[in-house]
Amino acid sequence: MNELPFERAAVIDLAAVRHNVRSLLDRLQPSEPDAQTPRPRLMAVVKADAYGHGAEPVARAALAAGADRLGVAHVREALELRQAGLTAPILAWLHTPDTPFAEAIAADVTLGVSGWDLDAVAGAVRALRDAGDGQARARVHLKLDTGLGRHGCMPADRPAFCARAAELEQAGLVEVDGVFSHLGVADDPERAAETEAQREEFLRGVDDAERALGHGLIRHLANTPATLSRPDTHLDMVRVGLGLYGLSPFEGVPAARFGLRPVMSLRTSLANVKRVPAGQGVSYGFRHRTQAATVLGLVPVGYADGVPRLADDAPLHVAGRSCTVAGRIAMDQFVVDLGPDASEAPGAPVELFGPESGITADAWAAAAGTINYELVTRIGARVPRVHVDTEAGGGNDAVDGHGSAASPVREVRFQLDGVEQTQAFAGRLAGLLRAGDVLVLTGDLGAGKTTFTQGLGRGLGVREGIISPTFVLSRIHPSLEGGPDLVHVDAYRLGSAEELLDTGLEDTVAGSVTVVEWGHGMAERLAGHPEDPRASWLDLHLTRSSGGKGDQDEGPHGGDGLVFDFSDEDGATTDETRTAVLRAYGPRWAQEPLDDLVVERRGS
Ligand SMILES: *Cc1c(COP(=O)(O)O)cnc(C)c1O
């Protein structure tokens, strides 16, 4: 189970996100059953780092599955998504006077406004215009309070608020696109009357707003519970958070009842296993004492990792067996009683919750006296989010078995005819590279990896002599021009990102251009922690388009492990055609002119 190269991880299944989006979309029906009324749209709410699941990959998966747009609480969350290269509409709705409104407007982030912030937004538009952006204009949605008592314009203040919005729209400073409100008790079906009262108040507010503005607006009211239980609240759009993550908002009603699949699994492995006598105190306060001689397992996650201290007797799986927490959950760890006959060893896989064990985040939430929303959202920063795709190949966010994160911001495909074009391409790419850049290079024997890297080295102006690094693991080619060195690595024999980092690459990466052959799923870690939204790298996949020598399938070393890819491996004297797919990940590559690298584009 713990085949991931991490000691602990929140494993996020992007296929489950897509499944949940599609299954939620299936529920959305036009409010009037005539052909003119469109189906409601779905806003994927990815605030709080997608409820702890990783905002960027989740946002991409949700959009790929048909979500219309994204929703977040803070403008800064929206700006991070923009920096990651996401261009879908994003709504942000919780501001203070310190919110960077001008930045938001410049990045085309739609702003939910409740009162004072409407004029602050208009002020930011004027400031942008004074600074030279004559076209600046803010897109806003009006937020109405229909009973929740938090944000939103109160009914009594509505006439003035709507009139002001109309005035600013007339003046060309804002464009009012939508109107929304938030429900207070939709998760409690017994309190349908209160939800109904909010819905009616909202519809009155919509009337006021549309009349004042003189045009229609996107009306949105439903959160996950209302999306699942109140079709009459779907209107033009629903705002779904919890449901995306495959969790149920209704106490005691499992998400599976709604066809939703849990997205997060919290996994680790045992840090220790030991035999103890009867009467052994366990963890702080000795709140648990063994009744008889037994075997204790140590689980290396604690409240610093978001495992609630109060979840005393929460369930978990150790090597597929059901156990419960024994004694206090501490900051970094807790203990399980494995029983006197236990045969598990350190490293035995542990799942606290997730589809494999069938244990839900709800069970942990219940043990801790909280809700599943809080449980997943508070998984700590010390736990890497590892994005996988159990339908790998079925979606554009597929990843390999190593569980690397993210989706490319750019993808360029092209054909390279022979050595000259391959090296010319590499030389052009070298012109874009700078110290700190990481390039993962994959390709069969004879696909041209060494030819490519030689061209890259020439373009970077490093010392010659580039051969396949198979024998040496890693080779440094110092720059002869005061630029970055080229570090050329073969990761084929390495099993994990940790092993790769252990080779000392971490020390050279910042000052070099690092090319890692067979580093897919590992080398990305060099470019930054998987959770770091700024982590950026390139992934180049070369394949031979036609026959040629060396027909070994995968791996540079052939079936018996004795064939090595020396510098003539890629038929450096032939004019074979190769297909190259260059995928760029992270904000570093969002703007670079990668399309210009194409030598001669064939087909599409
Ligand atoms: C968080 C939030 C949502 C999403 O709620 P879920 O119950 O997770 O679907 C929708 N709208 C607003 C205004 C929110 O703050």
Side-chain angles (χ1 to χ4, degrees), residues 45 47 51 93 143 150 182 223-225 239-242 373:
V45 177
K47 62 189 179 187
Y51 293 33
W93 53 72
K143 183 158 195 192
R150 296 194 325 195
H182 199 36
N223 51 3
T224 298
R239 298 186 308 272
V240 178
L242 195 74
Y373 288 81

Side-chain angles (χ1 to χ4, degrees), residues 43 45-47 51 71-73 91 93 143 148 150 180-183 220-227 238-245 249 373:
M43 173 189 288
V45 177
V46 294
K47 62 189 179 187
Y51 293 33
V72 292
L91 177 68
W93 53 72
K143 183 158 195 192
L148 188 57
R150 296 194 325 195
F180 69 119
S181 185
H182 199 36
L183 297 169
H220 49 110
L221 177 63
N223 51 3
T224 298
T227 301
V238 299
R239 298 186 308 272
V240 178
L242 195 74
L244 295 181
Y245 311 108
Y373 288 81

Side-chain angles (χ1 to χ4, degrees), residues 216-340:
L217 294 166
I218 305 171
R219 306 161 300 160
H220 49 110
L221 177 63
N223 51 3
T224 298
T227 301
L228 295 174
S229 67
R230 297 279 306 228
D232 61 341
T233 62
H234 292 176
L235 305 170
D236 301 318
M237 183 160 71
V238 299
R239 298 186 308 272
V240 178
L242 195 74
L244 295 181
Y245 311 108
L247 299 173
S248 166
F250 304 108
E251 209 184 318
V253 186
R257 184 91 47 96
F258 305 100
L260 300 173
R261 279 171 28 194
V263 170
M264 182 190 289
S265 305
L266 185 58
R267 295 186 189 160
T268 180
S269 66
L270 290 182
N272 198 18
V273 178
K274 67 183 178 187
R275 206 159 279 283
V276 297
Q280 172 73 47
V282 175
S283 194
Y284 292 127
F286 307 148
R287 284 161 43 97
H288 179 81
R289 271 188 197 279
T290 56
Q291 302 284 311
T294 188
V295 175
L296 299 179
L298 187 62
V299 180
V301 286
Y303 60 77
D305 305 299
V307 178
R309 183 170 175 271
L310 291 175
D312 275 291
D313 30 55
L316 67 154
H317 268 198
V318 176
R321 281 205 296 143
S322 298
C323 315
T324 52
V325 176
R328 267 265 182 258
I329 292 174
M331 185 183 291
D332 310 309
Q333 52 199 297
F334 65 86
V335 174
V336 287
D337 188 338
L338 298 170

